[in-house]
């Protein structure tokens, strides 16, 4: 996934190729300094510094915008001086974590299982993170942030990949993804889709509802037959797609000019377009949608594990979580964060029914994440190869 700033916000795009991953239980040491081991049992004195690897916009200290700062308060309260490095893709983050230079990383669902499998991160003891209790239950202990009942981090925020439409062209408000699949011919040349192999999961979500005989239970766990059905659907869609987007500045422009009239989007894009008077609407279709939930994780062999735990607690606190997720443009993960935001309703924060319709990005691996053991699922390397074939 890649994040690009949009005024005071950042966006996300995915693009990587990975081999099949075996999910391993990572090990680490409580005191840090060496690879492998278990979650910490207790904390000691703060080390005075912490090194963080993050998406742009996730670790703001006021240097980019004096009004945007949730780092300074952390440093004052803990005595841990923050140094941070930003990355542009999940692939880059995974490679950088191998250096051992970072105590903390915030990772998306297309990277977390790789970090766990490579033993580059360790389980976290959530009892040592008081603010973890305030995190929404529907974000905890999920397949992208936990393995074998062990938590590997703290959820940051979440959002859905929604359906956007031009209300002057798509005059009847859509309720289904059929407008970009089976009915795409009605808007040929002006359909837009997310430019990433992970978009294959969007087709799988649609097929779950419209071709139940395929037996898809999880859009990130596709056997060969299910995967081919999703690929075929996207090949059919291709002739109607005017533009695949990954930079949401370009999607905003495309909907403003009318070059795109229907396709995938994020709530933050609709918020920007609405503020500028554009004739657009968004909906979470009846089939559900894909989405994201990032996770703060602690490096195996972290040199500053106590400050690392302190950061995870700080970023999960209501005020810091509110500031960081608002800056990005997503729902917070801490229920009390909405006391510090005025837009939680727009992002459906805390709405468990809404959240239950989101299939959060999860790395497709050969070991089916839906629990099946009688078949092998198609891994992300094959997803990437298929995506290039789909786009032509």
């Amino acid at each position: 996934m890649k994040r690009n700033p949009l005024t005071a916000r950042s966006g996300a795009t995915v693009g990587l190729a990975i081999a099949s991953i075996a999910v391993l239980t990572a090990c680490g040491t409580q005191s840090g300094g060496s690879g492998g081991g278990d979650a910490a049992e207790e904390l000691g004195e703060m080390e005075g510094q912490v090194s963080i690897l993050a998406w742009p916009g996730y670790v703001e200290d006021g240097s980019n915008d004096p009004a945007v700062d949730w780092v300074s308060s952390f440093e004052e309260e803990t005595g841990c001086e923050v140094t941070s490095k930003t990355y542009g893709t999940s692939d880059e983050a995974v490679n950088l974590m191998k250096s051992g230079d970072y105590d903390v990383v915030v990772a998306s669902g297309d990277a977390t299982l790789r970090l766990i499998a490579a033993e580059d991160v360790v389980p976290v003891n959530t009892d040592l993170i008081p603010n973890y209790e305030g995190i929404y239950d529907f974000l905890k202990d999920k397949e992208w942030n936990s393995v074998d009942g062990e938590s590997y981090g703290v959820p940051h925020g979440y959002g859905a990949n929604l359906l956007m439409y031009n209300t002057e062209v798509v005059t009847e408000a859509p309720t289904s993804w059929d407008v970009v699949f089976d009915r795409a011919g009605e808007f040929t040349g002006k359909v837009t889709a997310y430019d990433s192999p992970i978009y294959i999961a969007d087709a799988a979500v649609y097929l779950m509802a419209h071709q139940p005989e395929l037996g898809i239970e999880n859009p990130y766990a596709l056997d060969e037959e299910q995967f081919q059905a999703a690929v075929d659907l996207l090949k059919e869609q291709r002739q109607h797609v005017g533009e695949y987007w990954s930079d949401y500045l370009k999607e905003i422009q495309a909907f403003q000019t009318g070059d795109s009239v229907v396709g995938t989007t994020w709530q933050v894009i609709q918020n920007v377009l609405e503020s500028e008077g554009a004739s657009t609407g968004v909906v979470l279709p009846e089939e559900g949608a894909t989405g994201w939930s990032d996770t703060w994780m602690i490096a195996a062999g972290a040199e500053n594990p106590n400050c690392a735990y302190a950061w995870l607690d700080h970023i999960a606190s209501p005020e810091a979580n509110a500031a960081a997720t608002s800056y990005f443009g997503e729902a917070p993960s801490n229920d009390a964060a909405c006391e510090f935001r005025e837009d939680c309703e727009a992002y459906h924060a805390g709405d468990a029914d809404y959240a239950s319709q989101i299939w959060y990005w999860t790395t497709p691996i050969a070991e089916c994440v839906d629990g099946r053991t009688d078949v092998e699922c198609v891994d992300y390397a094959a997803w990437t190869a298929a995506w290039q074939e789909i786009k032509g």
Side-chain angles (χ1 to χ4, degrees), residues 279-355:
S279 300
T280 57
V282 295
V283 63
L284 178 64
E286 58 194 14
E287 297 92 353
T290 61
W292 71 90
S293 173
D294 292 345
T295 304
W296 289 98
M297 312 177 85
I298 295 179
E303 294 184 3
N304 305 287
N306 298 299
C307 283
Y309 265 91
W311 174 261
L312 263 62
D313 188 51
H314 173 75
I315 201 65
S317 67
E319 192 164 3
N321 188 245
T325 56
S326 176
Y327 186 65
F328 172 71
E330 62 186 338
S333 60
N334 189 315
D335 184 49
C338 289
E339 297 175 12
F340 300 92
R341 289 180 58 171
E342 297 179 353
D343 60 350
C344 274
E345 185 175 354
Y347 290 95
H348 302 272
D351 186 338
D353 289 338
Y354 184 90

Side-chain angles (χ1 to χ4, degrees), residues 14 16 143 146 152 161 191 231 245 299 303 323 364:
V14 183
L16 60 146
E143 57 268 25
S146 300
Y152 275 81
N161 297 312
V191 174
V231 169
W245 68 276
E303 294 184 3

Side-chain angles (χ1 to χ4, degrees), residues 46 71-80 310 313-314 317 319:
M46 298 298 165
V71 170
S72 296
S73 59
F74 168 76
E75 294 177 327
E76 293 169 2
E77 292 168 5
T78 65
C80 301
D313 188 51
H314 173 75
S317 67
E319 192 164 3

Side-chain angles (χ1 to χ4, degrees), residues 211-285:
Q211 292 188 32
E213 64 275 12
L214 287 169
I216 299 174
E217 298 291 337
N218 183 311
Y220 306 104
L222 304 177
D223 60 34
E224 190 59 46
E225 179 185 4
Q226 296 165 339
F227 181 74
Q228 193 56 54
V231 169
D232 289 345
L233 180 61
L234 291 173
K235 286 181 177 178
E236 292 175 12
Q237 182 198 52
R238 176 67 184 94
Q239 62 186 311
H240 306 296
V241 173
E243 180 180 45
Y244 290 99
W245 68 276
S246 58
D247 179 345
Y248 67 56
L249 284 169
K250 291 184 179 179
E251 190 188 35
I252 287 173
Q253 183 179 24
F255 270 89
Q256 288 173 328
T257 61
D259 289 338
S260 293
V261 299
V262 66
T264 52
T265 194
W266 301 317
Q267 183 64 51
V268 63
I269 296 176
Q270 168 62 7
N271 292 350
V272 172
L273 285 167
E274 186 176 19
S275 71
E276 297 181 357
S279 300
T280 57
V282 295
V283 63
L284 178 64

